[in-house]
Amino acid sequence: MRAVRLRAPSWFGAPLRRAAAGGAAVAAGALAAGWPYWRDHPAAAAVTLACCGGFAVAGGLLAAGRLGRRTGAAFTAGAAAWALTWTASWNAGAGPVVSVFAQSVFFVAIGVGVLLYPDGRLDGAVARLWTGVTAAVMLGGQALLCALSRPAWNGFDAAVAWPSVSPDRETFGDAYRGVTTVEAVLAGALVIILLLRLPGTGRLDRRYTVPVAVAVTVGVAGALAVQGSLIGRDVALDDVMEVYLVQGVFATVLPLAFLAAALRARMAELSAAERMQRLTDPVSVEKVRDALRRVLRDGTLELWLWAAGGYVDVAGRGAAAGDGPAPGRWRHEVRTSVGEPLAAVDTDDRLRGHEPLVEAALVAGGRALETVRLQAAARAHLERARDARERLVRVQAAERERLAAELQRSAQQRLRALEGLLEGLEAAVGPRAREHARACRRELAEAAAELDGLARGVHPAILTDAGLDAAMRLVAGRAPVPVRLDLPDRRYPPEIESTLYFALCEALANAAKHAGADEIRLSVRDEAGRVVAEVRDDGAGGADAVPGGGLAGLTDRVRALRGHVDVESRAGRGTTVRITLPAPR
């Protein structure tokens, strides 16, 4: 687990200056490379230099950040290649050859940069295949076109250096159309790859990748359409320059979209403090967790706080933060300024690419985390007390069952054996002794019956053997008021069955004794991870849980297992006692 110190990250400054310097250098290179053309076309020069420099600035800013770092490097390389593309304007020496291959490198760099965004990886075999095929088609296809043509067929002076091998005008035209068609197919494939990625991206990534996908569609489609306009006609150098100019404008849509995404990410980091403060006022453990979820757009984020020598969740229960994160998860630990553990957040692994935003949110929530840690410590102590009480209830339920079984197995068996001995003695003695023996047998039978009743009160054997359904049917059959039952045919853990049994018996006894009801309805059902039991009568109503009364004792028993009791009782409308227990884990 990586520790994050509570410090504010810096976003601007030196990176911005370096990006601006790089943009200026690329723009200067483009100015020098295209000077023969810019002298007569100053408006085109202004547009192109702005596009080229903006491309380099966007690439430099992305390369300096953590979101799209490799994309920024690819865009910076592409901007430099686009500057070299304008060497065609000299129309002499190797300038035109350098120009056409620089154009191919430019488009390859754009495509690779788009696929690398935002995590810097070519995810999947399809993306890697596209990259390899595109590089082969753009560079190899350009080499083929050069080999099959003469410089004049491409709009350049016949005297320039040109790697012609077997020039043929008709073959060159067919090859040009073929290469352009394949490039259009690859451009469409790039858009499809980006669209197929969207369902698998996180909510935060989607905010940035959707505008990029739209920009790729517009920019690439426009650039290819302009390139295709040269097919099937004689071209001059001005035609080539105009195509470069329009392609540059279309291509610049891409870095602008990426730069806008990067700026949105930076603004999200800058606004994290204000949003965290607004969302956590007033401060509570749940509010801090929910604020982090909203700021980071991760509804699965879990917050653990350091309390009493370990991590606890928002409810105060112990959390296994010391173990490694689950697959697909990413964990951040937050420490105080003196290096002590403060909190840990467990998030979607896709947020790893937005670490600056995560850090900004944690830094902004640092004071709130310090505050809620005290709340978490109090909840942890309360949770330990509840755990102890829950364990006590389980032990009591098991002890009741053991004691009832012991009474039935040992004491009752001995009384039955003694009754048998008295029966034999009665047959062997005179009338007076026989009368005493009969009296002793009657006393023993009453004692055995009382002991059996005591054993049932401690823990009825039928509850252990047959479960809650059978036990409650036996109780309902003995009730002085008709009881309609709706019980599930399933077993619960012993502590659940024991608690429900005694709580329902208490509720039935209260209804039969105090409500004056003509009928009682008893139901038990599983509902949304809980066990819900209801005892509803049609009596006088007006019941209340007074201290020391039956309903108060019922409530204490249920609360020991983290449940609760609700009593609805209006005068003349009967009483409903609802018992809710957490489902067995």
Side-chain angles (χ1 to χ4, degrees):
M1 181 184 296
R2 184 177 174 214
V4 178
R5 297 300 177 117
L6 297 180
R7 56 179 176 79
S10 59
W11 298 286
F12 303 112
L16 180 59
R17 289 194 296 271
R18 286 194 295 268
V26 170
L31 180 64
W35 181 249
Y37 184 71
W38 307 138
R39 285 179 301 186
D40 300 325
H41 303 83
V47 172
T48 301
L49 296 183
C51 291
C52 201
F55 217 122
V57 170
L61 287 176
L62 288 171
R66 298 182 186 178
L67 182 66
R69 179 175 296 175
R70 292 188 176 180
T71 295
F75 280 4
T76 301
W82 192 246
L84 289 175
T85 301
W86 292 96
T87 57
S89 66
W90 293 89
N91 204 14
V97 173
V98 171
S99 169
V100 294
F101 279 97
Q103 182 193 34
S104 297
V105 171
F106 170 70
F107 284 114
V108 171
I110 286 179
V112 173
V114 168
L115 289 178
L116 287 172
Y117 187 82
D119 55 10
R121 298 193 303 268
L122 290 174
D123 292 327
V126 175
R128 291 190 289 271
L129 176 63
W130 186 93
T131 300
V133 172
T134 300
V137 170
M138 296 299 297
L139 297 176
Q142 188 59 60
L144 176 65
L145 294 178
C146 288
L148 295 175
S149 67
R150 298 188 186 281
W153 302 347
N154 294 274
F156 302 120
D157 190 272
V160 303
W162 197 259
S164 298
V165 176
S166 179
D168 183 274
R169 188 60 182 262
E170 184 175 352
T171 305
F172 168 69
D174 293 339
Y176 194 97
R177 282 187 288 271
V179 170
T180 304
T181 300
V182 174
E183 289 174 351
V185 171
L186 290 172
L190 176 61
V191 174
I192 292 173
I193 291 172
L194 294 178
L195 293 177
L196 292 177
R197 276 185 178 181
L198 290 179
T201 59
R203 292 179 60 194
L204 200 58
D205 284 330
R206 209 166 295 155
R207 296 182 63 199
Y208 308 130
T209 53
V210 169
V212 167
V214 174
V216 169
T217 303
V218 173
V220 173
L224 286 174
V226 174
Q227 186 73 23
S229 66
L230 299 179
I231 297 176
R233 67 184 180 92
D234 294 331
V235 295
L237 181 60
D238 282 349
D239 297 326
V240 175
M241 295 294 100
E242 288 177 4
V243 166
Y244 285 172
L245 175 63
V246 177
Q247 283 183 335
V249 173
F250 274 110
T252 305
V253 173
L254 288 174
L256 291 177
F258 279 92
L259 188 57
L263 289 176
R264 287 185 70 188
R266 295 296 182 265
M267 290 304 297
E269 296 169 23
L270 290 170
S271 65
E274 185 272 332
R275 295 181 64 194
M276 286 294 296
Q277 183 177 4
R278 173 167 45 86
L279 294 172
T280 58
D281 187 22
V283 175
S284 70
V285 179
E286 289 82 1
K287 277 183 171 291
V288 173
R289 180 201 60 191
D290 294 343
L292 288 170
R293 286 179 174 180
R294 292 181 63 179
V295 170
L296 300 178
R297 293 179 176 266
D298 180 10
T300 67
L301 180 145
E302 291 297 336
L303 173 64
W304 298 322
L305 295 158
W306 186 265
Y311 282 105
V312 297
D313 62 15
V314 294
R317 293 185 291 265
D323 301 336
R329 306 294 295 173
W330 179 49
R331 190 168 296 168
H332 242 49
E333 185 182 33
V334 186
R335 293 182 177 271
T336 64
S337 57
V338 295
E340 297 177 349
L342 175 60
V345 289
D346 185 88
T347 70
D348 190 309
D349 187 61
R350 287 172 293 200
L351 278 174
R352 191 188 300 270
H354 301 276
E355 189 173 354
L357 178 59
V358 176
E359 291 184 1
L362 292 175
V363 169
R367 182 168 297 177
L369 289 173
E370 288 277 11
T371 302
V372 299
R373 181 168 62 168
L374 300 177
Q375 298 179 16
R379 291 185 179 183
H381 290 305
L382 179 60
E383 189 66 23
R384 281 195 290 269
R386 288 174 175 171
D387 286 340
R389 189 166 60 173
E390 188 174 348
R391 287 193 298 271
L392 180 60
V393 169
R394 291 195 179 99
V395 170
Q396 287 177 341
E399 186 61 22
R400 281 176 176 273
E401 185 176 349
R402 186 198 64 78
L403 181 57
E406 184 67 24
L407 287 172
Q408 291 177 337
R409 184 178 65 253
S410 60
Q412 283 187 328
Q413 286 179 359
R414 291 183 180 180
L415 288 175
R416 298 299 182 191
L418 182 56
E419 185 179 1
L421 289 175
L422 287 173
E423 185 177 1
L425 179 62
E426 181 182 346
V429 299
R432 187 174 180 79
R434 188 178 297 119
E435 185 62 31
H436 285 295
R438 287 175 183 162
C440 289
R441 283 181 60 199
R442 286 194 297 271
E443 291 293 334
L444 284 173
E446 292 178 4
E450 291 177 0
L451 190 60
D452 186 55
L454 176 62
R456 286 198 304 271
V458 172
H459 192 91
I462 190 173
L463 182 63
T464 302
D465 297 336
L468 184 66
D469 185 5
M472 291 313 303
R473 291 188 184 280
L474 183 62
V475 172
R478 296 172 178 170
V481 178
V483 179
R484 295 178 59 181
L485 299 174
D486 181 10
L487 300 169
D489 185 18
R490 60 160 294 187
R491 298 298 303 268
Y492 295 103
E495 67 275 9
I496 297 289
E497 288 189 338
S498 177
T499 298
L500 281 177
Y501 174 80
F502 289 107
L504 291 173
C505 286
E506 183 68 40
L508 281 175
N510 284 337
K513 184 177 181 180
H514 304 294
D518 296 324
E519 183 183 69
I520 300 174
R521 295 185 180 185
L522 186 153
S523 66
V524 177
R525 63 184 182 275
D526 295 324
E527 181 182 286
R530 301 172 298 172
V531 181
V532 180
E534 283 187 353
V535 176
R536 186 190 304 267
D537 66 61
D538 58 0
D544 196 9
V546 298
L551 289 179
L554 181 156
T555 301
D556 292 339
R557 181 186 294 273
V558 172
R559 283 179 177 173
L561 286 182
R562 303 174 186 272
H564 57 89
V565 177
D566 299 308
V567 179
E568 298 177 7
S569 186
R570 295 184 180 180
R573 297 188 180 182
T575 300
T576 299
V577 178
R578 185 176 297 105
I579 303 163
T580 305
L581 288 171
R585 289 174 286 181

